[in-house]
């Protein structure tokens, strides 16, 4: 029995939701299942195979301190299906608490995931994942604890200003 376009769209959105929970909760096998084996990813801190992304995510998760965490909050989703191929655009807020140069920060990025999906052997999975960064902000958890000189190298104008704070630290998104 074949699925309808609306059923396909919901299955595609469910893969993206599964990705967010798996990535944030460290469910690495489930995260890998969101991708076809030949999938690729381009985000701020990684460009390459999905398998490499999952491995690097696992390594970063293992290095995280107890007070550090991240969360991908998914918003509006727009799916377009053409046969066994589809695109999914998702609004996302990436929320991170982590140490940078000894200071604890809250980091927030407003972004969009732009995914290419393919349906193979009856299952929709991500074939190519990209993240478009709109803007970000970085706030010290303890106000006033970070010297002004910390921000001296942050580009606040030009093309790189939209993800300025991502560039000054590790920003494990």
């Amino acid at each position: 029995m074949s699925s309808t376009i609306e059923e396909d769209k919901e299955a595609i959105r469910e893969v993206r939701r599964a990705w967010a929970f798996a990535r944030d909760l460290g469910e690495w096998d489930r995260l890998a299942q969101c991708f076809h084996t030949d999938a690729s990813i381009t985000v701020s801190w990684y460009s390459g195979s999905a398998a490499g992304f999952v491995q690097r995510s696992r390594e970063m998760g293992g290095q995280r301190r107890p007070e550090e965490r991240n969360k991908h909050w998914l918003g509006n989703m727009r799916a377009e299906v053409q046969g066994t191929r589809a695109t999914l655009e998702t609004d996302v807020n990436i929320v991170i608490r982590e140490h940078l140069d000894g200071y604890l920060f809250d980091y927030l990025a407003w972004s969009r995931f732009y995914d290419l999906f393919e349906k193979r052997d009856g299952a929709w999975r991500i074939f190519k994942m990209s993240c478009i960064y709109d803007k970000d902000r970085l706030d010290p958890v303890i106000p006033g604890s970070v010297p002004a000189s910390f921000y001296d190298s942050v580009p606040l104008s030009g093309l790189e200003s939209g993800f300025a704070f991502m560039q000054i630290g590790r920003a494990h998104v």
Side-chain angles (χ1 to χ4, degrees), residues 19-56:
W19 179 97
F21 276 101
R23 175 65 173 76
D24 294 342
L25 297 174
E27 298 170 348
W28 310 120
D29 292 338
R30 184 160 185 190
L31 180 62
Q33 293 170 5
C34 296
F35 299 97
H36 288 295
T37 56
D38 56 344
S40 64
I41 298 175
T42 301
V43 294
S44 66
W45 57 271
Y46 180 85
S47 183
S49 70
F53 173 84
V54 172
Q55 179 59 35
R56 184 67 184 115

Side-chain angles (χ1 to χ4, degrees), residues 55-107:
Q55 179 59 35
R56 184 67 184 115
S57 296
R58 179 192 307 261
E59 291 167 2
M60 291 185 320
Q63 297 169 359
R64 191 172 294 130
R65 298 179 192 180
E67 63 276 16
E68 295 178 323
R69 59 192 55 85
N70 59 47
K71 190 77 167 168
H72 293 77
W73 289 99
L74 304 182
N76 294 324
M77 295 181 175
R78 177 172 53 187
E80 299 293 332
V81 177
Q82 293 282 327
T84 60
R85 292 184 172 195
T87 59
L88 179 69
E89 187 173 359
T90 306
D91 292 334
V92 60
N93 281 340
I94 305 167
V95 183
I96 299 169
R97 175 167 283 184
E98 74 175 352
H99 287 91
L100 297 173
D101 294 338
Y103 303 102
L104 189 59
F105 286 95
D106 284 332
Y107 171 82

Side-chain angles (χ1 to χ4, degrees), residues 8 48 68 136 156 173:
D8 285 337
E68 295 178 323
D136 68 355
L156 297 177
V173 293

Side-chain angles (χ1 to χ4, degrees), residues 7-22:
E7 289 170 331
D8 285 337
K9 287 180 178 183
E10 184 54 30
I12 289 164
R13 289 187 295 258
E14 184 54 35
V15 170
R16 175 43 78 194
R17 287 189 287 266
W19 179 97
F21 276 101

